């Protein structure tokens, strides 16, 4: 198997799996119970949470553990409910941001042809009614890295301006950093964010676990109510094994950021040197493990099935959109035509890949494309 879809899911690392194991069967206690073994589990859970927080330069008390990035994004947007205002979001955001933003009548901020936020468009839409701006740190389909600290400085200036005019409405910056943790050194103070979404499933941790960093002045409302866990913001018995695995995986990711970048840049360049007849979609400002190819006039869905028959797994974009047969709103936002979107493949490299696999995959992709070109040409 040659797996080239690490943006959709990553295998749980051996270290994370080992760390989780005891919490399924031996130390299985409910952290809220009053007896000593349960209190020990509660302490382990809090320590793991602190590890996740430290990885982004935050404190354990700043984190709310969720069942993944989608829930974290939904929880982040409750700030707009509480502050009673409008929201802005990047046109290329993941659906879990787009759909919740639409509930608040959110307005899109446009992006350039390379997928980077158009700062002037943000400034023109940043009215006094806006309370939340959501800009992902790295895009899930293109790998585009956004200039978050620049966005944060615009927000800081807008806050100062509002106060000088006696406007009390708050203004916050949220970022979904799900895709970025393996390749970028993330620090909430440096980024200037008030809310930050993390996802265990993208950093070789277990699926179904995520976290939302919440800065002190932000007031959220629970999406799930019940037992008052996570400071009342996220009811439900704590997912102890999940958080233990998440902490182990995120610590590993943090330690290997530099090495990962170098490794993926080498593999990416090797792949691009050995592929033929494509247009590279994500030429700049992109994570090193993302390669988005466009074969205009070819049906990428067919390529995916042809490659799958050879045990090579790639995708056309976000897994959740692909499964519904929807066109990529991300590729449309950067100005690709219908036939260019149809002909686009997303390859995302990861821990499971080596040079030999990359060469084999390049050969198979070239052959599949040649087959399709011949078939459509004769047709």
């Amino acid at each position: 198997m040659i797996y080239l879809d690490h943006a959709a899911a990553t295998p749980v690392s051996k270290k994370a799996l080992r760390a989780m194991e005891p919490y399924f069967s031996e130390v299985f206690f409910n952290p809220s119970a009053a007896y000593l073994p349960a209190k020990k589990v509660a302490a382990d859970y809090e320590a793991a949470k602190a590890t996740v927080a430290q990885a982004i330069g935050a404190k354990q008390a700043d984190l709310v553990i969720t069942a993944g990035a989608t829930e974290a994004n939904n929880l982040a947007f409750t700030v707009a409910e509480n502050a009673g205002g409008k929201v802005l979001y990047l046109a290329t955001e993941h659906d879990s941001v787009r759909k919740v933003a639409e509930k608040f009548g959110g307005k899109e901020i446009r992006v350039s042809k390379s997928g980077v936020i158009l700062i002037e468009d943000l400034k023109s839409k940043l009215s006094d009614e806006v309370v939340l701006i959501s800009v992902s740190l790295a895009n899930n389909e293109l790998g585009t890295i956004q200039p978050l600290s620049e966005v944060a400085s615009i927000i800081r200036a807008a806050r100062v301006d509002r106060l000088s005019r006696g406007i009390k409405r708050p203004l916050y910056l949220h970022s979904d950093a799900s895709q970025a943790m393996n390749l970028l050194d993330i620090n909430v103070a440096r980024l200037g964010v008030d809310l930050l979404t993390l996802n265990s499933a993208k950093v070789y941790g277990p699926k179904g676990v995520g976290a939302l960093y919440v800065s002190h002045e932000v007031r959220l409302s629970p999406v799930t109510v019940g037992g008052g866990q996570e400071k009342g913001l996220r009811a439900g018995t704590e997912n102890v094994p999940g958080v233990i695995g998440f902490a182990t995986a995120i610590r590993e990711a943090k330690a290997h950021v530099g090495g990962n970048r170098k490794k993926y840049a080498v593999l990416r360049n090797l792949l691009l040197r050995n592929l033929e007849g494509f247009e590279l979609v994500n030429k700049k400002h992109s994570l090193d493990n993302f390669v988005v190819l466009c074969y205009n006039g070819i049906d990428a869905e067919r390529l995916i099935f042809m490659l799958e028959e050879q045990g090579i797994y790639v995708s056309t974009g976000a897994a959740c959109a692909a499964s519904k047969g929807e066109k990529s709103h991300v590729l449309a936002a950067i100005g690709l035509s219908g036939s260019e979107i149809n002909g686009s493949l997303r390859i995302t490299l990861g821990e499971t890949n080596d040079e030999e696999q990359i060469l084999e995959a390049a050969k198979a992709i070239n052959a599949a494309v040649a087959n399709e070109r011949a078939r459509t040409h004769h047709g």
Side-chain angles (χ1 to χ4, degrees):
M1 175 177 93
I2 299 177
Y3 179 71
L4 296 167
D5 197 19
H6 290 83
T10 55
V12 176
S13 79
K14 287 187 175 67
K15 268 188 187 166
L17 198 57
R18 269 201 307 276
M20 289 164 75
E21 241 169 339
Y23 296 89
F24 285 111
S25 50
E26 293 152 43
V27 277
F28 57 87
F29 310 99
N30 187 324
S32 299
Y35 33 83
L36 210 57
K39 286 185 168 153
K40 166 82 170 74
V41 169
D44 292 351
Y45 175 82
E46 295 300 340
K49 224 174 123 174
T51 298
V52 175
Q54 278 155 14
I56 57 166
K59 293 189 174 71
Q60 182 261 353
D62 303 332
L63 280 198
V64 180
I65 298 295
T66 64
T70 295
E71 188 192 343
N73 287 340
N74 275 262
L75 182 59
F77 272 78
T78 64
V79 74
E81 224 169 290
N82 291 341
K86 298 197 166 138
V87 300
L88 300 177
Y89 64 99
L90 209 55
T92 50
E93 288 301 306
H94 187 274
D95 269 351
S96 61
V97 166
R98 285 162 58 84
K99 295 279 198 290
V100 69
E102 283 163 12
K103 282 200 332 203
F104 295 99
K107 260 195 190 150
E108 280 187 358
I109 307 162
R110 291 186 306 122
V111 295
S112 71
K113 290 246 181 288
S114 56
V116 177
I117 184 169
L118 290 172
I119 293 292
E120 289 312 310
D121 196 53
L122 163 63
K123 286 177 176 171
S124 73
K125 287 171 179 162
L126 184 46
S127 67
D128 288 340
E129 282 72 55
V130 175
V131 291
L132 182 67
I133 294 168
S134 188
V135 177
S136 61
L137 180 51
N139 181 264
N140 63 303
E141 285 189 40
L142 296 167
T144 310
I145 302 164
Q146 300 297 342
L148 263 195
S149 47
E150 193 182 339
V151 174
S153 70
I154 289 164
I155 288 174
R156 279 195 296 274
R159 281 180 192 144
V160 171
D161 174 55
R162 279 185 189 181
L163 279 174
S164 74
R165 292 181 290 119
I167 294 167
K168 293 281 199 319
R169 179 170 279 126
L171 179 60
Y172 302 117
L173 174 59
H174 165 253
S175 183
D176 182 346
S178 297
Q179 289 294 352
M181 200 74 214
N182 283 324
L183 289 117
L184 298 180
D185 187 22
I186 295 174
N187 180 288
V188 287
R190 227 180 14 248
L191 291 174
V193 291
D194 304 290
L195 295 145
L196 187 85
T197 293
L198 296 173
N199 189 353
S200 162
K202 311 294 186 194
V203 293
Y204 303 87
K207 294 176 186 63
V209 190
L212 181 67
Y213 158 79
V214 187
S215 74
H216 302 304
E217 57 280 3
V218 176
R219 293 284 160 268
L220 302 176
S221 302
V223 177
T224 314
V225 292
Q229 289 90 345
E230 297 295 315
K231 299 193 293 289
L233 282 172
R234 210 284 175 175
T237 302
E238 293 87 347
N239 178 359
V240 180
V243 175
I244 298 283
F246 186 10
T248 309
I250 209 166
R251 196 193 293 118
E252 280 186 274
K254 184 85 175 170
H256 297 121
V257 162
N260 283 345
R261 276 226 286 270
K262 287 195 191 82
K263 173 187 165 172
Y264 298 139
V266 168
L267 293 179
R268 183 175 193 261
N269 293 336
L270 183 67
L271 179 64
L272 292 174
R273 280 201 307 276
N274 285 278
L275 286 171
E276 295 155 8
F278 66 91
E279 193 63 44
L280 183 63
V281 177
N282 60 335
K283 291 186 187 71
K284 45 188 183 181
H285 315 297
S286 181
L287 293 173
D288 293 304
N289 66 329
F290 271 70
V291 182
V292 185
L293 309 165
C294 174
Y295 296 99
N296 198 0
I298 277 188
D299 182 357
E301 291 281 337
R302 285 181 60 89
L303 292 182
I304 285 173
F305 293 128
M306 288 162 81
L307 293 166
E308 187 185 339
E309 281 172 1
Q310 300 167 67
I312 298 167
Y313 299 98
V314 299
S315 81
T316 53
C320 31
S323 67
K324 296 198 289 283
E326 289 174 1
K327 282 257 201 312
S328 165
H329 68 271
V330 173
L331 299 182
I334 61 167
L336 264 58
S337 68
S339 76
E340 286 171 325
I341 293 172
N342 279 341
S344 290
L345 281 185
R346 178 187 73 173
I347 291 169
T348 43
L349 309 167
E351 287 293 314
T352 66
N353 304 134
D354 57 27
E355 296 194 4
E356 195 184 326
Q357 285 190 356
I358 295 302
L359 292 171
E360 199 180 318
K363 215 159 77 179
I365 292 167
N366 289 340
V369 170
N371 270 339
E372 274 302 281
R373 290 228 189 271
R375 186 185 69 84
T376 50
H377 191 63
H378 293 316

